[in-house]
Amino acid sequence: DIQMTQSPSSLSASVGDRVTITCRASQDINRWLVWYQQKPGKAPKSLIYDASSLQSGVPSRFSGSGYGTDFTLTISNLQPEDFATYYCQQHHRYPLTFGGGTKVEIK
Amino acid sequence: QVQLQESGPGLVKPSETLSLTCTVSGGTVNTGLYYWTWIRQSPGRGLEWIGYIYFTGSANYNPSLESRVTISMDTSKNQFSLQLNSVTAADTAVYFCASERGSNIGWGQGTLVTVSS
């Protein structure tokens, strides 16, 4: 299985901050990475696909980068509705695997 | 995008079989557009892909669960189902059905299943 390691597991930030979350794959996954946002009691919502493509309807303050094994999700100008948990997921190979999550909390 | 809705018991006894059904609307399960997928989420195991079934009837399971899991489909009801045998407390989770197509996963709302006597 491809292991996905996210860091940090949690962070505190203020509205307006720039936040960076990293995801590392245990082997080369090309660009086959998705970033999700999840709020309590809801299913994950896709933000970024293919490592850097913004999902339709997602604000442009969300961006993704990376290729191979190292990936980054950046949220610029953090908004109140962005406080949530974020996950990465690889779809290079089955079984699909997810990172452990990063909880973004209000400072 | 199709809509997905999970249904089934919210409480299952240890050693018994967990059975869930996903009803698909806005599309048909009898299509090669999607892999009909189950994913679960628990505090201890995070998000875990369980497996999928394709419209041909072929299935692919997570090796960690393969000995206990079966995913099937009923085209007449436009549904697909999950069976997980010999459950323990570690199988307590929110179970999501999903439609997977490469980089795009469409999710159901999820249903909590608790394993307890």
Side-chain angles (χ1 to χ4, degrees), chain B residues 18-66:
Chain B
L18 180 159
S19 297
L20 294 174
T21 296
C22 184
T23 300
V24 178
S25 58
T28 172
V29 295
N30 200 15
T31 173
L33 277 178
Y34 301 105
Y35 294 90
W36 304 106
T37 298
W38 288 95
I39 296 167
R40 67 181 183 179
Q41 184 174 29
S42 63
R45 302 175 72 90
L47 284 159
E48 183 177 28
W49 177 82
I50 298 171
Y52 71 70
I53 189 163
Y54 196 47
F55 81 110
T56 56
S58 66
N60 186 11
Y61 303 127
N62 194 319
S64 67
L65 297 167
E66 191 164 19

Coordinates of all heavy atoms in Angstrom, one line a residue, chain B residues 18-66:
Chain B
L18 N -22.0 -7.1 9.2 CA -22.5 -5.7 8.9 C -23.0 -5.7 7.5 O -22.2 -6.1 6.6 CB -21.3 -4.8 9.1 CG -21.4 -3.3 8.9 CD1 -20.3 -2.5 9.6 CD2 -21.4 -2.9 7.4
S19 N -24.2 -5.2 7.3 CA -24.7 -5.1 5.9 C -25.3 -3.7 5.7 O -26.1 -3.2 6.4 CB -25.9 -6.1 5.7 OG -25.4 -7.4 5.8
L20 N -24.8 -3.1 4.6 CA -25.3 -1.7 4.2 C -25.6 -1.7 2.7 O -25.0 -2.5 2.0 CB -24.2 -0.7 4.5 CG -23.8 -0.4 6.0 CD1 -22.6 0.5 6.0 CD2 -25.0 0.1 6.7
T21 N -26.5 -0.9 2.4 CA -26.9 -0.7 1.0 C -26.8 0.8 0.6 O -27.0 1.7 1.4 CB -28.4 -1.1 0.8 OG1 -28.5 -2.5 1.1 CG2 -28.9 -0.9 -0.6
C22 N -26.4 1.0 -0.6 CA -26.3 2.3 -1.2 C -27.3 2.4 -2.3 O -27.2 1.7 -3.3 CB -24.9 2.6 -1.6 SG -24.6 4.3 -2.2
T23 N -28.2 3.4 -2.2 CA -29.1 3.6 -3.3 C -28.6 4.8 -4.2 O -28.3 5.9 -3.7 CB -30.5 3.9 -2.8 OG1 -31.0 2.8 -2.0 CG2 -31.5 4.2 -3.9
V24 N -28.6 4.5 -5.5 CA -28.0 5.5 -6.4 C -29.2 6.2 -7.1 O -30.1 5.5 -7.6 CB -27.1 4.8 -7.4 CG1 -26.6 5.8 -8.5 CG2 -26.0 4.2 -6.7
S25 N -29.2 7.5 -7.2 CA -30.2 8.3 -8.0 C -29.5 9.2 -8.9 O -28.3 9.6 -8.7 CB -31.1 9.0 -7.0 OG -30.4 9.9 -6.2
G26 N -30.2 9.6 -10.0 CA -29.6 10.5 -10.9 C -28.6 9.8 -11.9 O -27.9 10.5 -12.6
G27 N -28.7 8.5 -11.9 CA -27.8 7.7 -12.8 C -28.0 6.3 -12.5 O -28.8 5.9 -11.6
T28 N -27.4 5.4 -13.3 CA -27.5 4.0 -13.1 C -26.2 3.3 -12.7 O -25.1 3.7 -13.1 CB -28.0 3.4 -14.5 OG1 -28.0 1.9 -14.4 CG2 -27.1 3.8 -15.6
V29 N -26.4 2.3 -11.9 CA -25.2 1.5 -11.5 C -24.7 0.7 -12.6 O -23.5 0.3 -12.6 CB -25.5 0.6 -10.3 CG1 -25.8 1.4 -9.0 CG2 -26.5 -0.4 -10.6
N30 N -25.5 0.5 -13.6 CA -25.2 -0.4 -14.8 C -24.5 0.5 -15.8 O -24.9 0.5 -17.0 CB -26.4 -1.0 -15.3 CG -26.1 -2.3 -16.1 OD1 -25.0 -2.8 -16.1 ND2 -27.0 -2.7 -16.9
T31 N -23.4 1.1 -15.4 CA -22.6 2.0 -16.3 C -21.1 1.8 -16.0 O -20.8 1.6 -14.8 CB -23.0 3.4 -16.2 OG1 -22.2 4.3 -17.0 CG2 -23.0 3.9 -14.7
G32 N -20.3 2.0 -17.0 CA -18.9 2.0 -16.8 C -18.3 3.3 -16.4 O -17.1 3.4 -16.3
L33 N -19.2 4.3 -16.1 CA -18.7 5.6 -15.7 C -18.0 5.6 -14.3 O -17.1 6.4 -14.1 CB -19.8 6.6 -15.6 CG -20.3 7.2 -16.9 CD1 -21.5 8.1 -16.7 CD2 -19.2 8.0 -17.6
Y34 N -18.4 4.8 -13.4 CA -18.0 4.8 -12.0 C -17.6 3.5 -11.5 O -18.1 2.4 -12.0 CB -19.0 5.4 -11.1 CG -19.5 6.8 -11.5 CD1 -20.8 7.0 -12.0 CD2 -18.7 7.9 -11.2 CE1 -21.2 8.3 -12.4 CE2 -19.2 9.2 -11.5 CZ -20.4 9.3 -12.1 OH -20.8 10.6 -12.4
Y35 N -16.7 3.5 -10.5 CA -16.5 2.4 -9.6 C -17.3 2.6 -8.4 O -17.1 3.7 -7.7 CB -15.0 2.2 -9.3 CG -14.1 1.9 -10.5 CD1 -13.6 2.9 -11.3 CD2 -13.9 0.6 -10.8 CE1 -12.8 2.6 -12.4 CE2 -13.1 0.3 -11.9 CZ -12.6 1.3 -12.7 OH -11.8 1.0 -13.8
W36 N -18.2 1.7 -8.1 CA -19.1 1.9 -6.9 C -18.4 1.4 -5.7 O -18.1 0.2 -5.5 CB -20.4 1.1 -7.2 CG -21.0 1.6 -8.5 CD1 -21.1 0.9 -9.6 CD2 -21.7 2.9 -8.7 NE1 -21.7 1.7 -10.6 CE2 -22.1 2.9 -10.0 CE3 -21.9 4.0 -7.9 CZ2 -22.7 4.0 -10.6 CZ3 -22.5 5.1 -8.5 CH2 -23.0 5.1 -9.8
T37 N -18.2 2.3 -4.8 CA -17.1 2.2 -3.8 C -17.7 2.4 -2.3 O -18.7 3.1 -2.1 CB -16.1 3.4 -4.0 OG1 -15.5 3.2 -5.3 CG2 -15.0 3.4 -2.9
W38 N -17.0 1.7 -1.4 CA -17.3 1.9 0.0 C -16.0 2.4 0.7 O -14.9 1.9 0.4 CB -17.7 0.6 0.7 CG -19.1 0.2 0.3 CD1 -19.5 -0.6 -0.7 CD2 -20.4 0.7 0.9 NE1 -20.9 -0.7 -0.8 CE2 -21.4 0.1 0.2 CE3 -20.7 1.6 1.9 CZ2 -22.8 0.4 0.5 CZ3 -22.0 1.9 2.2 CH2 -23.0 1.2 1.5
I39 N -16.1 3.4 1.6 CA -15.0 4.0 2.3 C -15.6 4.1 3.8 O -16.7 4.5 3.9 CB -14.6 5.4 1.8 CG1 -14.1 5.2 0.3 CG2 -13.6 6.1 2.7 CD1 -13.9 6.5 -0.4
R40 N -14.7 3.9 4.7 CA -15.2 4.1 6.1 C -14.2 5.1 6.8 O -13.1 5.3 6.4 CB -15.3 2.8 6.9 CG -14.0 2.1 7.1 CD -14.3 0.8 7.9 NE -13.0 0.1 8.2 CZ -13.0 -1.1 8.8 NH1 -14.1 -1.7 9.2 NH2 -11.8 -1.7 9.1
Q41 N -14.7 5.6 7.9 CA -13.9 6.6 8.7 C -14.1 6.4 10.2 O -15.3 6.4 10.6 CB -14.3 8.0 8.3 CG -13.5 9.1 9.0 CD -13.8 10.5 8.5 OE1 -14.9 10.8 8.0 NE2 -12.8 11.4 8.5
S42 N -13.1 6.2 10.9 CA -13.1 6.1 12.3 C -12.0 6.9 13.0 O -11.0 7.1 12.3 CB -13.0 4.6 12.7 OG -11.7 4.1 12.4
P43 N -12.1 7.3 14.2 CA -11.1 8.0 14.9 C -9.8 7.3 14.9 O -8.7 7.8 14.7 CB -11.6 8.3 16.3 CG -13.1 8.2 16.1 CD -13.3 7.2 15.1
G44 N -9.8 6.0 15.0 CA -8.6 5.2 15.2 C -7.9 4.8 13.9 O -6.7 4.8 13.8
R45 N -8.7 4.7 12.8 CA -8.2 4.2 11.5 C -8.2 5.3 10.4 O -7.7 5.1 9.3 CB -8.9 3.0 11.1 CG -8.8 1.8 12.1 CD -9.6 0.6 11.6 NE -9.0 0.0 10.5 CZ -8.2 -1.0 10.6 NH1 -7.9 -1.5 11.8 NH2 -7.7 -1.6 9.5
G46 N -8.8 6.5 10.7 CA -8.9 7.5 9.7 C -9.8 7.1 8.6 O -10.7 6.3 8.8
L47 N -9.6 7.6 7.4 CA -10.3 7.3 6.2 C -9.7 6.0 5.6 O -8.5 6.0 5.3 CB -10.3 8.4 5.2 CG -11.2 9.6 5.6 CD1 -10.8 10.9 4.9 CD2 -12.7 9.3 5.2
E48 N -10.5 5.0 5.4 CA -10.0 3.7 4.9 C -10.9 3.3 3.7 O -12.1 3.1 3.8 CB -10.1 2.7 6.0 CG -9.5 1.4 5.6 CD -9.5 0.4 6.8 OE1 -10.4 0.5 7.7 OE2 -8.7 -0.5 6.8
W49 N -10.3 3.1 2.5 CA -10.9 2.6 1.4 C -11.2 1.1 1.6 O -10.3 0.3 1.9 CB -10.1 2.8 0.2 CG -10.6 2.3 -1.2 CD1 -11.5 2.9 -2.0 CD2 -10.2 1.1 -1.8 NE1 -11.7 2.1 -3.1 CE2 -10.9 1.0 -3.0 CE3 -9.4 0.0 -1.5 CZ2 -10.8 0.0 -3.9 CZ3 -9.2 -1.0 -2.4 CH2 -9.9 -1.1 -3.6
I50 N -12.5 0.7 1.4 CA -12.9 -0.7 1.6 C -12.8 -1.5 0.3 O -12.3 -2.6 0.3 CB -14.3 -0.8 2.2 CG1 -14.3 -0.1 3.6 CG2 -14.7 -2.2 2.3 CD1 -15.7 0.1 4.1
G51 N -13.3 -0.9 -0.8 CA -13.3 -1.6 -2.1 C -14.3 -1.0 -3.0 O -15.1 -0.1 -2.7
Y52 N -14.4 -1.6 -4.2 CA -15.4 -1.2 -5.2 C -15.9 -2.4 -5.9 O -15.3 -3.5 -6.0 CB -14.8 -0.2 -6.2 CG -13.8 -0.7 -7.2 CD1 -14.1 -1.6 -8.2 CD2 -12.4 -0.3 -7.1 CE1 -13.2 -2.0 -9.1 CE2 -11.5 -0.8 -8.0 CZ -11.9 -1.7 -9.0 OH -10.9 -2.1 -9.9
I53 N -17.1 -2.2 -6.6 CA -17.6 -3.1 -7.6 C -17.8 -2.3 -8.9 O -18.2 -1.1 -8.8 CB -18.9 -3.8 -7.1 CG1 -19.2 -4.9 -8.1 CG2 -20.0 -2.8 -6.9 CD1 -20.2 -5.9 -7.5
Y54 N -17.5 -2.9 -10.0 CA -17.7 -2.3 -11.3 C -18.9 -2.9 -11.9 O -19.4 -4.0 -11.5 CB -16.5 -2.6 -12.2 CG -16.3 -1.7 -13.4 CD1 -16.5 -0.3 -13.3 CD2 -15.9 -2.2 -14.6 CE1 -16.3 0.5 -14.4 CE2 -15.8 -1.5 -15.7 CZ -16.0 -0.1 -15.6 OH -15.8 0.7 -16.8
F55 N -19.5 -2.2 -13.0 CA -20.7 -2.7 -13.5 C -20.6 -4.1 -14.2 O -21.7 -4.7 -14.3 CB -21.2 -1.7 -14.6 CG -20.6 -1.8 -15.9 CD1 -21.4 -2.2 -17.0 CD2 -19.3 -1.4 -16.2 CE1 -20.8 -2.3 -18.3 CE2 -18.7 -1.5 -17.4 CZ -19.5 -2.0 -18.5
T56 N -19.4 -4.5 -14.5 CA -19.3 -5.8 -15.0 C -19.4 -6.9 -13.9 O -19.5 -8.1 -14.2 CB -17.9 -6.0 -15.6 OG1 -16.9 -5.7 -14.5 CG2 -17.7 -5.0 -16.8
G57 N -19.4 -6.5 -12.7 CA -19.5 -7.4 -11.5 C -18.2 -7.7 -10.9 O -18.1 -8.3 -9.8
S58 N -17.1 -7.2 -11.5 CA -15.8 -7.4 -10.9 C -15.6 -6.5 -9.7 O -16.1 -5.4 -9.7 CB -14.7 -7.1 -11.9 OG -14.7 -5.8 -12.3
A59 N -14.9 -7.0 -8.7 CA -14.7 -6.2 -7.5 C -13.2 -6.2 -7.1 O -12.5 -7.0 -7.5 CB -15.5 -6.8 -6.3
N60 N -12.9 -5.2 -6.3 CA -11.5 -5.0 -5.8 C -11.6 -4.6 -4.4 O -12.3 -3.6 -4.1 CB -10.8 -4.0 -6.7 CG -9.3 -3.8 -6.4 OD1 -8.8 -4.6 -5.7 ND2 -8.7 -2.8 -6.9
Y61 N -10.9 -5.3 -3.5 CA -11.0 -5.0 -2.1 C -9.7 -4.6 -1.5 O -8.6 -5.0 -2.0 CB -11.5 -6.3 -1.3 CG -12.9 -6.8 -1.9 CD1 -13.0 -8.1 -2.2 CD2 -14.0 -5.9 -1.9 CE1 -14.3 -8.6 -2.7 CE2 -15.2 -6.4 -2.4 CZ -15.3 -7.7 -2.8 OH -16.5 -8.2 -3.2
N62 N -9.7 -3.9 -0.4 CA -8.6 -3.6 0.4 C -8.0 -4.9 1.0 O -8.7 -5.6 1.6 CB -8.9 -2.6 1.5 CG -7.7 -2.0 2.1 OD1 -6.7 -2.6 2.4 ND2 -7.8 -0.7 2.4
P63 N -6.7 -5.2 0.7 CA -6.2 -6.4 1.2 C -6.4 -6.6 2.7 O -6.5 -7.7 3.2 CB -4.7 -6.3 0.9 CG -4.7 -5.4 -0.3 CD -5.8 -4.4 -0.1
S64 N -6.4 -5.5 3.5 CA -6.6 -5.5 4.9 C -7.9 -6.1 5.3 O -8.1 -6.5 6.5 CB -6.4 -4.1 5.5 OG -7.4 -3.3 5.2
L65 N -8.9 -6.0 4.4 CA -10.3 -6.4 4.7 C -10.8 -7.6 3.8 O -11.9 -8.1 4.0 CB -11.2 -5.3 4.6 CG -11.0 -4.1 5.5 CD1 -11.8 -2.9 5.1 CD2 -11.4 -4.5 7.0
E66 N -10.0 -7.9 2.9 CA -10.4 -8.8 1.8 C -11.1 -10.1 2.2 O -12.0 -10.6 1.6 CB -9.3 -9.1 0.8 CG -9.6 -9.8 -0.5 CD -8.5 -9.7 -1.5 OE1 -7.4 -9.4 -1.1 OE2 -8.8 -9.9 -2.7

